[in-house]
Amino acid sequence: MIKGAGGVFVSADDMYLERLNKFENGGLYEIEIKKNNNPRLHGKLFAFFKFCFDHHNAENGDMAFANEAKQFNYFRKRLTILAGFFDEFVDFDTGEIRKEAQSLAWDKMDDVERGECLSAVINAALKYVFKNTTDENVINRLYAFF
């Protein structure tokens, strides 16, 4: 969410508008608000996630029939894991080790850690999302993130 003039909060991304439109106008809601440190870098990271998501095309995943916000969140978590930001858990029933994406909590990272996180996500995307890309437009847009 981005705070606009007059104290009005608006969606930072159009994909969440559908969910916000489900709230009743004039309804009273309790929300938790956290301000992102270094919102410019945070915005760059999420713009990069969205660019990767759009390139990957949600139909390549196993959530092709979920709404776009769920597909994006699933994709973002998978890329976060591929970037090395995850916790491992053991399923006691099967003994299988499961990976769960860590929250990329900007407020708990300093600028160096944030930069390392962004770099790791970019490297994971280059390896797993854009590995066979030959489209010059995609490559040029990709370079614009560096």
Side-chain angles (χ1 to χ4, degrees), residues 37-72:
N37 290 339
N38 200 333
R40 191 173 140 180
L41 187 60
H42 184 265
K44 184 176 182 178
L45 175 63
F46 271 78
F48 186 70
F49 275 132
K50 183 73 167 96
F51 174 67
C52 294
F53 172 74
D54 290 342
H55 175 75
H56 178 265
N57 191 339
E59 293 172 6
N60 290 331
D62 52 355
M63 294 197 57
F65 301 106
N67 70 37
E68 183 180 13
K70 284 184 181 180
Q71 291 177 29
F72 173 74

Side-chain angles (χ1 to χ4, degrees), residues 62-121:
D62 52 355
M63 294 197 57
F65 301 106
N67 70 37
E68 183 180 13
K70 284 184 181 180
Q71 291 177 29
F72 173 74
N73 285 329
Y74 177 78
F75 176 83
R76 179 184 54 79
K77 288 176 182 180
R78 292 296 305 144
L79 192 54
T80 300
I81 290 169
L82 293 170
F85 291 85
F86 61 87
D87 294 313
E88 290 184 327
F89 299 94
V90 175
D91 182 326
F92 292 116
D93 294 327
T94 64
E96 187 176 312
I97 297 176
R98 215 175 49 109
K99 294 179 182 177
E100 189 171 301
Q102 292 175 343
S103 172
L104 301 180
W106 289 125
D107 58 332
K108 294 184 176 121
M109 295 180 185
D110 61 28
D111 284 341
V112 172
E113 290 171 316
R114 289 182 197 113
E116 290 171 352
C117 175
L118 180 59
S119 179
V121 169

